[in-house]
Amino acid sequence: MWESGCPAHSFTGPAAEGKQQSTSSSREAEERNMETAQPRSSERMSADLSELLKEATKEVHEQAENTPFMRNFQKGQVSLQEFKLVTASLYFIYSALEEEIERNKNNPVYAPVYFPAELHRKAALEEDLKYFYGRNWREEIPCPEATQKYVERLHYIGKNEPELLVAHAYTRYLGDLSGGQVLKKIAQKALQLPSTGEGLAFFTFDGVSNATKFKQLYRSRMNALEMDLATKKRVMEEAKKAFLLNIRVFEALQELVSKGQENGHPVQPKAELLRTRNINKSHEHGPAAGKEGERTKMRNTDTTPTTSLMRWIVALSFLAMTVAVGLFAM
């Protein structure tokens, strides 16, 4: 099924309903306790995992913040094609991450930061991909080699070094809660996506009513993980590696777009084919297919000429905004 080489893992493994949902009242109580807690000493703070991770990723954040990529995205210079490809790669990444999270949800090295109802993104990405690619999205989406390597890394640490899993969860989820909300507004405006949220489910966290308080809670749970200093240093290195893996993913996507390829096929003919199929379906099924026809036309309209340099800027700016802005806000 995955023509581009991504392993067809079974990315299922749902948790029991009772364990998956966090108890709202207990979580709110924990948040209130944190607000009234006395500040810890500077010596203790310096050993907190959340502070160590923020410091370890500070330099790479500053580098990303000052690149032209972020500025271009902020100007709304994003095409539908890049956005679709990014969404596809994120699906593979989050599917692997959340499969390993489920594997380790009862492991003390991860259990305190297990928030599936609040954070998990796989289902949201499936919703977005169905919107952009249609019902057969699983056969349509590409998986570049760099994405596959990211997936392989996540599966490796989930099975062999689960104590490092928190580095990837921290980098991705807290970044999504922070910088991702900026991206949502930009993408919606630049791509003229519906105000009702179709195509943007990835950025919507229905289980998080207050992002700032939730991030405080998440950091406090991270700091409660039982880790010695040596293990914390390994987690810090893994967080930086996660950022580099993201860089490579977006470099690969830029190359894919610059060649005019998506899943091994020319981009424009494929878009025209999907548009033609939809027109035929509309004639066959009458007015009921009209709404779907408008959606498919919007999904596949990407006719603005874009140079290779601009595609590079757009693809990498998505990474910069999601991870760099997210890390800054953590």
Side-chain angles (χ1 to χ4, degrees):
M1 179 182 295
W2 311 116
E3 295 181 17
S4 299
C6 259
H9 287 286
S10 173
F11 291 129
T12 55
E17 186 68 21
K19 292 184 178 179
Q20 188 177 26
Q21 298 293 335
S22 296
T23 303
S24 177
S25 59
S26 62
R27 194 181 76 189
E28 290 174 359
E30 190 171 349
E31 289 172 348
R32 287 195 299 270
N33 290 338
M34 288 190 325
E35 290 177 356
T36 58
Q38 294 296 320
R40 285 169 287 189
S41 67
S42 58
E43 291 81 4
R44 174 66 183 278
M45 284 296 292
S46 65
D48 282 345
L49 183 59
S50 63
E51 292 297 315
L52 291 172
L53 283 174
K54 186 174 182 178
E55 186 64 28
T57 54
K58 184 177 180 180
E59 183 177 348
V60 69
H61 161 255
E62 290 176 352
Q63 292 173 358
E65 190 181 37
N66 291 296
T67 61
F69 310 125
M70 221 190 311
R71 292 194 294 269
N72 277 278
F73 200 103
Q74 288 174 325
K75 294 175 184 177
Q77 294 177 344
V78 55
S79 73
L80 180 61
Q81 192 58 36
E82 280 90 3
F83 195 78
K84 287 167 62 178
L85 291 172
V86 165
T87 303
S89 274
L90 288 175
Y91 167 74
F92 290 113
I93 292 166
Y94 278 94
S95 294
L97 175 60
E98 289 164 14
E99 181 179 345
E100 296 310 322
I101 286 173
E102 289 300 320
R103 187 193 308 277
N104 291 282
K105 64 184 178 181
N106 296 319
N107 191 323
V109 301
Y110 191 83
V113 292
Y114 179 64
F115 289 101
E118 291 83 355
L119 296 178
H120 285 194
R121 299 288 86 201
K122 180 187 173 185
L125 285 162
E126 289 176 342
E127 186 178 332
D128 288 340
L129 290 169
K130 184 177 180 181
Y131 176 76
F132 287 124
Y133 286 91
R135 288 180 299 176
N136 296 325
W137 62 269
R138 294 181 188 276
E139 286 76 32
E140 300 287 344
I141 61 174
C143 181
E145 183 180 357
T147 301
Q148 181 178 345
K149 288 184 177 180
Y150 197 161
V151 166
E152 290 171 353
R153 178 61 184 171
L154 289 167
H155 284 305
Y156 175 82
I157 66 170
K159 295 173 183 176
N160 301 286
E161 300 179 80
E163 65 275 11
L164 302 183
L165 199 58
V166 66
H168 291 273
Y170 168 87
T171 302
R172 289 297 339 167
Y173 292 128
L174 293 199
D176 297 335
L177 277 171
S178 304
Q181 300 314 296
V182 178
L183 272 178
K184 179 180 181 179
K185 295 178 181 178
I186 294 173
Q188 188 171 41
K189 182 178 180 180
L191 300 176
Q192 298 182 344
L193 295 172
S195 59
T196 47
E198 285 91 338
L200 297 168
F202 171 73
F203 301 107
T204 304
F205 290 80
D206 292 328
V208 178
S209 58
N210 186 312
T212 299
K213 287 186 177 181
F214 182 82
K215 286 185 289 184
Q216 291 174 347
L217 171 63
Y218 193 91
R219 286 192 292 264
S220 73
R221 292 283 190 90
M222 284 178 58
N223 297 336
L225 292 171
E226 299 271 343
M227 290 185 183
D228 57 26
L229 187 57
T231 303
K232 289 180 180 179
K233 288 180 178 178
R234 291 172 55 226
V235 173
M236 291 159 59
E237 290 303 312
E238 190 67 25
K240 289 188 280 188
K241 183 176 292 185
F243 194 94
L244 293 176
L245 286 167
N246 276 283
I247 291 280
R248 290 170 189 147
V249 165
F250 285 88
E251 288 176 344
L253 294 180
Q254 182 275 328
E255 183 178 355
L256 192 66
V257 173
S258 66
K259 290 179 180 179
Q261 297 285 314
E262 184 180 0
N263 206 18
H265 304 289
V267 169
Q268 188 59 35
K270 178 180 175 184
E272 294 297 336
L273 176 60
L274 287 172
R275 199 177 294 122
T276 302
R277 286 176 179 171
N278 182 73
I279 292 172
N280 292 337
K281 179 188 284 188
S282 180
H283 285 301
E284 291 174 3
H285 299 283
K291 185 176 180 181
E292 180 64 25
E294 292 177 3
R295 289 176 56 191
T296 304
K297 183 177 179 181
M298 187 286 301
R299 288 197 297 263
N300 299 289
T301 300
D302 190 22
T303 57
T304 303
T306 310
T307 64
S308 296
L309 177 60
M310 185 59 68
R311 287 175 178 138
W312 166 257
I313 290 174
V314 170
L316 216 56
S317 66
F318 188 97
L319 168 72
M321 286 289 293
T322 303
V323 181
V325 172
L327 289 175
F328 178 74
M330 289 179 190

